[in-house]
PDB file of all heavy atoms in Angstrom:
ATOM      1  N   GLY A  29       0.827  -1.237   0.028  1.00 97.00           N
ATOM      2  CA  GLY A  29       0.007  -0.010   0.063  1.00 97.00           C
ATOM      3  C   GLY A  29       0.852   1.263  -0.021  1.00 97.00           C
ATOM      4  O   GLY A  29       0.577   2.216  -0.734  1.00 97.00           O
ATOM      5  N   ALA A  30       1.910   1.188   0.840  1.00 96.00           N
ATOM      6  CA  ALA A  30       2.790   2.435   0.879  1.00 96.00           C
ATOM      7  C   ALA A  30       3.592   2.570  -0.469  1.00 96.00           C
ATOM      8  O   ALA A  30       3.744   3.626  -0.984  1.00 96.00           O
ATOM      9  CB  ALA A  30       3.811   2.180   2.009  1.00 96.00           C
ATOM     10  N   GLN A  31       3.896   1.393  -1.176  1.00 96.00           N
ATOM     11  CA  GLN A  31       4.550   1.429  -2.379  1.00 96.00           C
ATOM     12  C   GLN A  31       3.651   2.091  -3.481  1.00 96.00           C
ATOM     13  O   GLN A  31       3.985   2.892  -4.257  1.00 96.00           O
ATOM     14  CB  GLN A  31       4.972   0.057  -2.795  1.00 96.00           C
ATOM     15  CG  GLN A  31       5.818  -0.074  -4.046  1.00 96.00           C
ATOM     16  CD  GLN A  31       6.343  -1.401  -4.349  1.00 96.00           C
ATOM     17  OE1 GLN A  31       6.163  -2.352  -3.550  1.00 96.00           O
ATOM     18  NE2 GLN A  31       7.017  -1.539  -5.490  1.00 96.00           N
ATOM     19  N   ALA A  32       2.339   1.697  -3.424  1.00 97.00           N
ATOM     20  CA  ALA A  32       1.399   2.203  -4.317  1.00 97.00           C
ATOM     21  C   ALA A  32       1.281   3.720  -4.138  1.00 97.00           C
ATOM     22  O   ALA A  32       1.036   4.397  -5.179  1.00 97.00           O
ATOM     23  CB  ALA A  32       0.001   1.529  -4.169  1.00 97.00           C
ATOM     24  N   THR A  33       1.291   4.211  -2.886  1.00 97.00           N
ATOM     25  CA  THR A  33       1.269   5.543  -2.663  1.00 97.00           C
ATOM     26  C   THR A  33       2.450   6.320  -3.301  1.00 97.00           C
ATOM     27  O   THR A  33       2.316   7.413  -3.926  1.00 97.00           O
ATOM     28  CB  THR A  33       1.197   5.978  -1.201  1.00 97.00           C
ATOM     29  OG1 THR A  33       0.004   5.367  -0.653  1.00 97.00           O
ATOM     30  CG2 THR A  33       1.112   7.379  -0.918  1.00 97.00           C
ATOM     31  N   LEU A  34       3.608   5.672  -3.214  1.00 96.00           N
ATOM     32  CA  LEU A  34       4.889   6.249  -3.668  1.00 96.00           C
ATOM     33  C   LEU A  34       4.725   6.357  -5.232  1.00 96.00           C
ATOM     34  O   LEU A  34       4.983   7.402  -5.868  1.00 96.00           O
ATOM     35  CB  LEU A  34       6.087   5.364  -3.357  1.00 96.00           C
ATOM     36  CG  LEU A  34       7.383   5.663  -4.151  1.00 96.00           C
ATOM     37  CD1 LEU A  34       7.941   7.001  -3.829  1.00 96.00           C
ATOM     38  CD2 LEU A  34       8.360   4.544  -3.787  1.00 96.00           C
ATOM     39  N   LEU A  35       4.235   5.243  -5.852  1.00 97.00           N
ATOM     40  CA  LEU A  35       4.155   5.316  -7.271  1.00 97.00           C
ATOM     41  C   LEU A  35       3.081   6.303  -7.805  1.00 97.00           C
ATOM     42  O   LEU A  35       3.343   6.988  -8.751  1.00 97.00           O
ATOM     43  CB  LEU A  35       3.663   3.904  -7.717  1.00 97.00           C
ATOM     44  CG  LEU A  35       4.781   2.840  -7.564  1.00 97.00           C
ATOM     45  CD1 LEU A  35       4.161   1.374  -7.966  1.00 97.00           C
ATOM     46  CD2 LEU A  35       6.062   3.049  -8.410  1.00 97.00           C
ATOM     47  N   GLY A  36       2.052   6.457  -7.008  1.00 98.00           N
ATOM     48  CA  GLY A  36       1.072   7.470  -7.355  1.00 98.00           C
ATOM     49  C   GLY A  36       1.469   8.904  -7.324  1.00 98.00           C
ATOM     50  O   GLY A  36       1.146   9.783  -8.145  1.00 98.00           O
ATOM     51  N   ARG A  37       2.563   9.170  -6.414  1.00 97.00           N
ATOM     52  CA  ARG A  37       3.071  10.478  -6.524  1.00 97.00           C
ATOM     53  C   ARG A  37       3.914  10.755  -7.789  1.00 97.00           C
ATOM     54  O   ARG A  37       4.119  12.009  -8.128  1.00 97.00           O
ATOM     55  CB  ARG A  37       4.076  10.677  -5.275  1.00 97.00           C
ATOM     56  CG  ARG A  37       3.360  10.719  -3.932  1.00 97.00           C
ATOM     57  CD  ARG A  37       4.248  11.287  -2.827  1.00 97.00           C
ATOM     58  NE  ARG A  37       5.458  10.477  -2.610  1.00 97.00           N
ATOM     59  CZ  ARG A  37       5.521   9.675  -1.583  1.00 97.00           C
ATOM     60  NH1 ARG A  37       4.389   9.413  -0.777  1.00 97.00           N
ATOM     61  NH2 ARG A  37       6.549   8.946  -1.409  1.00 97.00           N
ATOM     62  N   HIS A  38       4.274   9.806  -8.419  1.00 97.00           N
ATOM     63  CA  HIS A  38       4.898   9.986  -9.715  1.00 97.00           C
ATOM     64  C   HIS A  38       3.966   9.616 -10.947  1.00 97.00           C
ATOM     65  O   HIS A  38       4.470   9.447 -12.104  1.00 97.00           O
ATOM     66  CB  HIS A  38       6.144   8.986  -9.863  1.00 97.00           C
ATOM     67  CG  HIS A  38       7.214   9.370  -8.939  1.00 97.00           C
ATOM     68  ND1 HIS A  38       8.185  10.360  -9.126  1.00 97.00           N
ATOM     69  CD2 HIS A  38       7.604   8.859  -7.666  1.00 97.00           C
ATOM     70  CE1 HIS A  38       8.995  10.507  -8.193  1.00 97.00           C
ATOM     71  NE2 HIS A  38       8.615   9.521  -7.234  1.00 97.00           N
ATOM     72  N   ALA A  39       2.673   9.628 -10.620  1.00 97.00           N
ATOM     73  CA  ALA A  39       1.658   9.380 -11.631  1.00 97.00           C
ATOM     74  C   ALA A  39       1.934   7.928 -12.349  1.00 97.00           C
ATOM     75  O   ALA A  39       1.556   7.866 -13.499  1.00 97.00           O
ATOM     76  CB  ALA A  39       1.654  10.490 -12.703  1.00 97.00           C
ATOM     77  N   VAL A  40       2.441   7.023 -11.620  1.00 98.00           N
ATOM     78  CA  VAL A  40       2.515   5.673 -12.093  1.00 98.00           C
ATOM     79  C   VAL A  40       1.390   4.816 -11.464  1.00 98.00           C
ATOM     80  O   VAL A  40       1.275   4.689 -10.277  1.00 98.00           O
ATOM     81  CB  VAL A  40       3.842   5.047 -11.689  1.00 98.00           C
ATOM     82  CG1 VAL A  40       3.971   3.593 -12.068  1.00 98.00           C
ATOM     83  CG2 VAL A  40       5.042   5.782 -12.281  1.00 98.00           C
ATOM     84  N   ALA A  41       0.494   4.325 -12.313  1.00 97.00           N
ATOM     85  CA  ALA A  41      -0.654   3.614 -11.762  1.00 97.00           C
ATOM     86  C   ALA A  41      -0.348   2.250 -11.251  1.00 97.00           C
ATOM     87  O   ALA A  41       0.525   1.516 -11.837  1.00 97.00           O
ATOM     88  CB  ALA A  41      -1.737   3.489 -12.897  1.00 97.00           C
ATOM     89  N   SER A  42      -0.880   1.930 -10.114  1.00 98.00           N
ATOM     90  CA  SER A  42      -0.709   0.581  -9.485  1.00 98.00           C
ATOM     91  C   SER A  42      -1.884   0.234  -8.682  1.00 98.00           C
ATOM     92  O   SER A  42      -2.628   1.202  -8.275  1.00 98.00           O
ATOM     93  CB  SER A  42       0.668   0.550  -8.686  1.00 98.00           C
ATOM     94  OG  SER A  42       0.521   1.399  -7.593  1.00 98.00           O
ATOM     95  N   THR A  43      -2.104  -0.987  -8.366  1.00 98.00           N
ATOM     96  CA  THR A  43      -3.296  -1.452  -7.649  1.00 98.00           C
ATOM     97  C   THR A  43      -2.918  -2.526  -6.640  1.00 98.00           C
ATOM     98  O   THR A  43      -2.212  -3.539  -6.959  1.00 98.00           O
ATOM     99  CB  THR A  43      -4.348  -2.002  -8.622  1.00 98.00           C
ATOM    100  OG1 THR A  43      -4.619  -1.023  -9.608  1.00 98.00           O
ATOM    101  CG2 THR A  43      -5.645  -2.320  -7.777  1.00 98.00           C
ATOM    102  N   VAL A  44      -3.356  -2.368  -5.451  1.00 98.00           N
ATOM    103  CA  VAL A  44      -3.160  -3.498  -4.401  1.00 98.00           C
ATOM    104  C   VAL A  44      -4.367  -4.360  -4.580  1.00 98.00           C
ATOM    105  O   VAL A  44      -5.569  -3.917  -4.569  1.00 98.00           O
ATOM    106  CB  VAL A  44      -3.061  -2.961  -3.009  1.00 98.00           C
ATOM    107  CG1 VAL A  44      -3.048  -4.071  -1.878  1.00 98.00           C
ATOM    108  CG2 VAL A  44      -1.898  -2.032  -2.823  1.00 98.00           C
ATOM    109  N   MET A  45      -4.140  -5.626  -4.783  1.00 97.00           N
ATOM    110  CA  MET A  45      -5.270  -6.610  -5.110  1.00 97.00           C
ATOM    111  C   MET A  45      -5.236  -7.756  -4.119  1.00 97.00           C
ATOM    112  O   MET A  45      -4.217  -8.160  -3.648  1.00 97.00           O
ATOM    113  CB  MET A  45      -5.022  -7.128  -6.548  1.00 97.00           C
ATOM    114  CG  MET A  45      -4.879  -6.107  -7.555  1.00 97.00           C
ATOM    115  SD  MET A  45      -4.404  -6.733  -9.257  1.00 97.00           S
ATOM    116  CE  MET A  45      -6.029  -7.414  -9.792  1.00 97.00           C
ATOM    117  N   ASP A  46      -6.480  -8.284  -3.810  1.00 96.00           N
ATOM    118  CA  ASP A  46      -6.518  -9.477  -3.054  1.00 96.00           C
ATOM    119  C   ASP A  46      -6.524 -10.725  -3.995  1.00 96.00           C
ATOM    120  O   ASP A  46      -6.559 -10.642  -5.169  1.00 96.00           O
ATOM    121  CB  ASP A  46      -7.758  -9.518  -2.058  1.00 96.00           C
ATOM    122  CG  ASP A  46      -9.044  -9.488  -2.807  1.00 96.00           C
ATOM    123  OD1 ASP A  46      -9.149  -9.937  -3.976  1.00 96.00           O
ATOM    124  OD2 ASP A  46      -9.979  -9.009  -2.241  1.00 96.00           O
ATOM    125  N   LYS A  47      -6.446 -11.960  -3.355  1.00 96.00           N
ATOM    126  CA  LYS A  47      -6.388 -13.042  -4.165  1.00 96.00           C
ATOM    127  C   LYS A  47      -7.533 -13.311  -5.108  1.00 96.00           C
ATOM    128  O   LYS A  47      -7.325 -13.736  -6.273  1.00 96.00           O
ATOM    129  CB  LYS A  47      -6.295 -14.359  -3.189  1.00 96.00           C
ATOM    130  CG  LYS A  47      -5.869 -15.632  -3.837  1.00 96.00           C
ATOM    131  CD  LYS A  47      -5.717 -16.720  -2.858  1.00 96.00           C
ATOM    132  CE  LYS A  47      -5.237 -18.022  -3.620  1.00 96.00           C
ATOM    133  NZ  LYS A  47      -4.960 -19.123  -2.554  1.00 96.00           N
ATOM    134  N   SER A  48      -8.719 -12.965  -4.678  1.00 96.00           N
ATOM    135  CA  SER A  48      -9.898 -13.210  -5.574  1.00 96.00           C
ATOM    136  C   SER A  48      -9.851 -12.184  -6.794  1.00 96.00           C
ATOM    137  O   SER A  48     -10.160 -12.534  -7.891  1.00 96.00           O
ATOM    138  CB  SER A  48     -11.231 -13.043  -4.752  1.00 96.00           C
ATOM    139  OG  SER A  48     -11.280 -11.680  -4.291  1.00 96.00           O
ATOM    140  N   GLN A  49      -9.372 -11.022  -6.579  1.00 97.00           N
ATOM    141  CA  GLN A  49      -9.264 -10.084  -7.638  1.00 97.00           C
ATOM    142  C   GLN A  49      -8.212 -10.500  -8.666  1.00 97.00           C
ATOM    143  O   GLN A  49      -8.308 -10.332  -9.874  1.00 97.00           O
ATOM    144  CB  GLN A  49      -8.935  -8.600  -7.074  1.00 97.00           C
ATOM    145  CG  GLN A  49     -10.081  -7.979  -6.264  1.00 97.00           C
ATOM    146  CD  GLN A  49      -9.593  -6.750  -5.565  1.00 97.00           C
ATOM    147  OE1 GLN A  49      -8.450  -6.750  -4.975  1.00 97.00           O
ATOM    148  NE2 GLN A  49     -10.381  -5.699  -5.744  1.00 97.00           N
ATOM    149  N   ILE A  50      -7.148 -11.115  -8.110  1.00 97.00           N
ATOM    150  CA  ILE A  50      -6.023 -11.580  -8.963  1.00 97.00           C
ATOM    151  C   ILE A  50      -6.518 -12.735  -9.873  1.00 97.00           C
ATOM    152  O   ILE A  50      -6.340 -12.791 -11.046  1.00 97.00           O
ATOM    153  CB  ILE A  50      -4.817 -12.026  -8.122  1.00 97.00           C
ATOM    154  CG1 ILE A  50      -4.219 -10.664  -7.564  1.00 97.00           C
ATOM    155  CG2 ILE A  50      -3.824 -12.662  -9.063  1.00 97.00           C
ATOM    156  CD1 ILE A  50      -3.101 -11.058  -6.449  1.00 97.00           C
ATOM    157  N   SER A  51      -7.220 -13.713  -9.246  1.00 95.00           N
ATOM    158  CA  SER A  51      -7.589 -14.845  -9.985  1.00 95.00           C
ATOM    159  C   SER A  51      -8.733 -14.520 -11.034  1.00 95.00           C
ATOM    160  O   SER A  51      -8.877 -15.128 -12.007  1.00 95.00           O
ATOM    161  CB  SER A  51      -8.140 -15.953  -9.078  1.00 95.00           C
ATOM    162  OG  SER A  51      -9.177 -15.494  -8.293  1.00 95.00           O
ATOM    163  N   LYS A  52      -9.542 -13.464 -10.647  1.00 96.00           N
ATOM    164  CA  LYS A  52     -10.550 -12.992 -11.553  1.00 96.00           C
ATOM    165  C   LYS A  52      -9.932 -12.407 -12.863  1.00 96.00           C
ATOM    166  O   LYS A  52     -10.369 -12.673 -13.994  1.00 96.00           O
ATOM    167  CB  LYS A  52     -11.485 -12.028 -10.891  1.00 96.00           C
ATOM    168  CG  LYS A  52     -12.631 -11.552 -11.738  1.00 96.00           C
ATOM    169  CD  LYS A  52     -13.549 -10.668 -11.038  1.00 96.00           C
ATOM    170  CE  LYS A  52     -14.768 -10.246 -11.952  1.00 96.00           C
ATOM    171  NZ  LYS A  52     -15.757  -9.324 -11.189  1.00 96.00           N
ATOM    172  N   ARG A  53      -8.894 -11.632 -12.682  1.00 97.00           N
ATOM    173  CA  ARG A  53      -8.267 -10.926 -13.763  1.00 97.00           C
ATOM    174  C   ARG A  53      -7.342 -11.942 -14.568  1.00 97.00           C
ATOM    175  O   ARG A  53      -7.329 -11.774 -15.815  1.00 97.00           O
ATOM    176  CB  ARG A  53      -7.371  -9.780 -13.262  1.00 97.00           C
ATOM    177  CG  ARG A  53      -6.676  -9.079 -14.367  1.00 97.00           C
ATOM    178  CD  ARG A  53      -6.233  -7.612 -13.953  1.00 97.00           C
ATOM    179  NE  ARG A  53      -5.652  -6.868 -15.131  1.00 97.00           N
ATOM    180  CZ  ARG A  53      -5.410  -5.666 -15.227  1.00 97.00           C
ATOM    181  NH1 ARG A  53      -5.730  -4.887 -14.122  1.00 97.00           N
ATOM    182  NH2 ARG A  53      -4.893  -5.068 -16.197  1.00 97.00           N
ATOM    183  N   TRP A  54      -6.685 -12.798 -13.913  1.00 97.00           N
ATOM    184  CA  TRP A  54      -5.815 -13.766 -14.538  1.00 97.00           C
ATOM    185  C   TRP A  54      -6.227 -15.258 -14.065  1.00 97.00           C
ATOM    186  O   TRP A  54      -5.638 -15.734 -13.103  1.00 97.00           O
ATOM    187  CB  TRP A  54      -4.327 -13.566 -14.165  1.00 97.00           C
ATOM    188  CG  TRP A  54      -3.828 -12.191 -14.589  1.00 97.00           C
ATOM    189  CD1 TRP A  54      -3.559 -11.737 -15.912  1.00 97.00           C
ATOM    190  CD2 TRP A  54      -3.570 -11.011 -13.765  1.00 97.00           C
ATOM    191  NE1 TRP A  54      -3.100 -10.474 -15.896  1.00 97.00           N
ATOM    192  CE2 TRP A  54      -3.118  -9.981 -14.549  1.00 97.00           C
ATOM    193  CE3 TRP A  54      -3.747 -10.836 -12.391  1.00 97.00           C
ATOM    194  CZ2 TRP A  54      -2.810  -8.754 -14.082  1.00 97.00           C
ATOM    195  CZ3 TRP A  54      -3.398  -9.601 -11.862  1.00 97.00           C
ATOM    196  CH2 TRP A  54      -2.991  -8.568 -12.620  1.00 97.00           C
ATOM    197  N   PRO A  55      -7.234 -15.760 -14.637  1.00 95.00           N
ATOM    198  CA  PRO A  55      -7.719 -17.069 -14.181  1.00 95.00           C
ATOM    199  C   PRO A  55      -6.732 -18.156 -14.031  1.00 95.00           C
ATOM    200  O   PRO A  55      -6.861 -19.091 -13.211  1.00 95.00           O
ATOM    201  CB  PRO A  55      -8.770 -17.463 -15.371  1.00 95.00           C
ATOM    202  CG  PRO A  55      -9.173 -16.190 -15.893  1.00 95.00           C
ATOM    203  CD  PRO A  55      -7.919 -15.308 -15.865  1.00 95.00           C
ATOM    204  N   TYR A  56      -5.573 -18.200 -14.838  1.00 93.00           N
ATOM    205  CA  TYR A  56      -4.565 -19.192 -14.694  1.00 93.00           C
ATOM    206  C   TYR A  56      -3.818 -18.992 -13.445  1.00 93.00           C
ATOM    207  O   TYR A  56      -2.850 -19.802 -13.145  1.00 93.00           O
ATOM    208  CB  TYR A  56      -3.676 -19.119 -15.914  1.00 93.00           C
ATOM    209  CG  TYR A  56      -3.199 -17.783 -16.324  1.00 93.00           C
ATOM    210  CD1 TYR A  56      -2.083 -17.225 -15.706  1.00 93.00           C
ATOM    211  CD2 TYR A  56      -3.855 -17.133 -17.399  1.00 93.00           C
ATOM    212  CE1 TYR A  56      -1.582 -15.971 -16.134  1.00 93.00           C
ATOM    213  CE2 TYR A  56      -3.344 -15.876 -17.771  1.00 93.00           C
ATOM    214  CZ  TYR A  56      -2.213 -15.295 -17.193  1.00 93.00           C
ATOM    215  OH  TYR A  56      -1.770 -14.098 -17.483  1.00 93.00           O
ATOM    216  N   LEU A  57      -4.025 -17.974 -12.667  1.00 95.00           N
ATOM    217  CA  LEU A  57      -3.333 -17.697 -11.372  1.00 95.00           C
ATOM    218  C   LEU A  57      -4.302 -18.004 -10.196  1.00 95.00           C
ATOM    219  O   LEU A  57      -4.188 -17.419  -9.119  1.00 95.00           O
ATOM    220  CB  LEU A  57      -2.825 -16.260 -11.250  1.00 95.00           C
ATOM    221  CG  LEU A  57      -1.744 -15.818 -12.265  1.00 95.00           C
ATOM    222  CD1 LEU A  57      -1.404 -14.330 -12.078  1.00 95.00           C
ATOM    223  CD2 LEU A  57      -0.583 -16.647 -12.214  1.00 95.00           C
ATOM    224  N   ASP A  58      -5.115 -19.050 -10.398  1.00 91.00           N
ATOM    225  CA  ASP A  58      -6.039 -19.376  -9.335  1.00 91.00           C
ATOM    226  C   ASP A  58      -5.465 -20.310  -8.259  1.00 91.00           C
ATOM    227  O   ASP A  58      -6.195 -20.669  -7.263  1.00 91.00           O
ATOM    228  CB  ASP A  58      -7.293 -20.031  -9.941  1.00 91.00           C
ATOM    229  CG  ASP A  58      -7.007 -21.270 -10.723  1.00 91.00           C
ATOM    230  OD1 ASP A  58      -5.788 -21.658 -10.811  1.00 91.00           O
ATOM    231  OD2 ASP A  58      -7.973 -21.962 -11.169  1.00 91.00           O
ATOM    232  N   ASP A  59      -4.200 -20.629  -8.416  1.00 88.00           N
ATOM    233  CA  ASP A  59      -3.601 -21.601  -7.524  1.00 88.00           C
ATOM    234  C   ASP A  59      -2.463 -20.944  -6.756  1.00 88.00           C
ATOM    235  O   ASP A  59      -1.512 -21.525  -6.283  1.00 88.00           O
ATOM    236  CB  ASP A  59      -3.061 -22.893  -8.264  1.00 88.00           C
ATOM    237  CG  ASP A  59      -2.821 -24.020  -7.303  1.00 88.00           C
ATOM    238  OD1 ASP A  59      -3.374 -24.008  -6.190  1.00 88.00           O
ATOM    239  OD2 ASP A  59      -1.937 -24.851  -7.676  1.00 88.00           O
ATOM    240  N   LEU A  60      -2.522 -19.602  -6.605  1.00 92.00           N
ATOM    241  CA  LEU A  60      -1.462 -18.855  -5.934  1.00 92.00           C
ATOM    242  C   LEU A  60      -1.460 -19.208  -4.397  1.00 92.00           C
ATOM    243  O   LEU A  60      -2.498 -19.399  -3.800  1.00 92.00           O
ATOM    244  CB  LEU A  60      -1.671 -17.356  -5.998  1.00 92.00           C
ATOM    245  CG  LEU A  60      -1.429 -16.701  -7.423  1.00 92.00           C
ATOM    246  CD1 LEU A  60      -1.850 -15.251  -7.341  1.00 92.00           C
ATOM    247  CD2 LEU A  60      -0.001 -16.832  -7.803  1.00 92.00           C
ATOM    248  N   SER A  61      -0.248 -19.207  -3.819  1.00 90.00           N
ATOM    249  CA  SER A  61      -0.122 -19.425  -2.393  1.00 90.00           C
ATOM    250  C   SER A  61      -0.320 -18.054  -1.649  1.00 90.00           C
ATOM    251  O   SER A  61      -0.315 -18.009  -0.464  1.00 90.00           O
ATOM    252  CB  SER A  61       1.205 -20.073  -2.067  1.00 90.00           C
ATOM    253  OG  SER A  61       2.301 -19.195  -2.423  1.00 90.00           O
ATOM    254  N   SER A  62      -0.198 -16.915  -2.381  1.00 96.00           N
ATOM    255  CA  SER A  62      -0.248 -15.665  -1.802  1.00 96.00           C
ATOM    256  C   SER A  62      -1.683 -15.197  -1.452  1.00 96.00           C
ATOM    257  O   SER A  62      -2.643 -15.682  -2.117  1.00 96.00           O
ATOM    258  CB  SER A  62       0.332 -14.588  -2.718  1.00 96.00           C
ATOM    259  OG  SER A  62       1.641 -14.935  -3.091  1.00 96.00           O
ATOM    260  N   SER A  63      -1.800 -14.216  -0.612  1.00 96.00           N
ATOM    261  CA  SER A  63      -3.167 -13.677  -0.219  1.00 96.00           C
ATOM    262  C   SER A  63      -3.439 -12.388  -1.056  1.00 96.00           C
ATOM    263  O   SER A  63      -4.630 -11.922  -0.972  1.00 96.00           O
ATOM    264  CB  SER A  63      -3.260 -13.489   1.203  1.00 96.00           C
ATOM    265  OG  SER A  63      -2.190 -12.645   1.696  1.00 96.00           O
ATOM    266  N   GLY A  64      -2.458 -11.783  -1.581  1.00 97.00           N
ATOM    267  CA  GLY A  64      -2.642 -10.572  -2.319  1.00 97.00           C
ATOM    268  C   GLY A  64      -1.337 -10.060  -2.962  1.00 97.00           C
ATOM    269  O   GLY A  64      -0.385 -10.719  -2.802  1.00 97.00           O
TER     270      GLY A  64
END
């Protein structure tokens, strides 16, 4: 979240995502061990 804020100050778009958002955008990543 802090990194996204830093990037935003430079007008670099980024998004913090949870596991369900990731698997919805990239269905082949539905077996991640990560939570976000």
Side-chain angles (χ1 to χ4, degrees):
Q31 188 176 355
T33 300
L34 166 66
L35 294 173
R37 288 200 294 267
H38 292 280
V40 176
S42 64
T43 307
V44 177
M45 310 174 74
D46 62 27
K47 187 173 183 177
S48 63
Q49 291 171 314
I50 292 170
S51 61
K52 183 177 180 180
R53 178 157 186 172
W54 300 284
Y56 48 82
L57 297 180
D58 59 354
D59 198 23
L60 290 174
S61 65
S62 303
S63 57

